[in-house]
Amino acid sequence: MHALVVHAHPVAGSYSHALRDAVVAGLSRAGHEIEIIDLYGIDYRPWMTSDEHRDYDTIGADHPDPDVSRHIELMAWADVLVLVYPTWWSGFPAIMKGWLDRTMLPGVAFRLDERTNKVKGSLELRHLVGVTTYGSPRWYLYFVGDAGRRTVTRTLRMICGRSTKTTFLGLHKLDGRTEAERSAFLAEVESTFANLDSVSVSTNKASTQ
């Protein structure tokens, strides 16, 4: 399979980078082809220009920004989309939210039904996966919400085909974790991606201890 890994963390050597590497290691073990988009590494611009916003409904795959155009091509190539990010303010880092805004365009990720004006998904993915860390315990996310997880498992899932498998891997209370616990989660992530075809539909794994 073709796997597109989109990563968002500004600090090289971070635990988030280790998670990305674990994702790639697992996918490599399984023999998948991999492309990585390191949003901070390419100095990605996450905001829309006024022209982009004006032409939002029609700009599609002919996007004039070469980064966006390339990422749209990769979305068409991918069978697997993996988003790796730290949870900040209960959601995505701004750079990843901006990537979704500028990549998941009408005519690329969805279209509007001409009769009902309802969204019709266009993503043909076999797997959709989120991998994240939290500074907070799980009970806190229960009260304030978990926008990143909802975006992956609900919003993005709704514009995929019915057969798309969805998995979410999250490690809570990162700052209080021991090295052994961090290493164990890295091993879990790598194993999950090495065995991606056997992952059940709508799997949502999250460390709560």
Side-chain angles (χ1 to χ4, degrees), residues 28-127:
S28 298
R29 280 171 51 190
H32 302 307
E33 295 184 47
I34 306 162
E35 289 281 351
I36 301 171
I37 299 174
D38 179 353
L39 293 173
Y40 282 100
I42 64 172
D43 197 22
Y44 182 80
R45 174 174 63 80
W47 63 87
M48 288 187 185
T49 65
S50 58
D51 287 343
E52 284 179 278
H53 189 270
R54 182 196 62 214
D55 299 332
Y56 179 77
D57 290 336
T58 58
I59 195 168
D62 297 324
H63 202 289
D65 185 311
D67 279 340
V68 177
S69 179
R70 172 58 177 159
H71 298 171
I72 289 171
E73 290 177 1
L74 288 172
M75 283 303 308
W77 168 86
D79 302 303
V80 181
L81 175 62
V82 187
L83 304 181
V84 185
Y85 64 96
T87 296
W88 293 341
W89 286 96
S90 304
F92 289 133
I95 199 169
M96 180 163 281
K97 175 58 168 60
W99 183 82
L100 290 172
D101 289 340
R102 299 181 75 215
T103 306
M104 302 300 179
L105 297 167
V108 175
F110 66 92
R111 63 180 178 82
L112 295 178
D113 186 278
E114 294 180 0
R115 183 176 61 86
T116 65
N117 211 39
K118 291 183 178 180
V119 171
K120 300 290 185 180
S122 303
L123 293 183
E124 298 181 1
L125 296 171
R126 290 179 60 179
H127 295 268

Side-chain angles (χ1 to χ4, degrees), residues 85-94 97 132-136 140-141 144-151:
Y85 64 96
T87 296
W88 293 341
W89 286 96
S90 304
F92 289 133
K97 175 58 168 60
T132 193
T133 56
Y134 304 88
S136 304
Y140 178 83
L141 275 298
V144 303
D146 188 344
R149 178 176 177 176
R150 290 200 309 272
T151 298

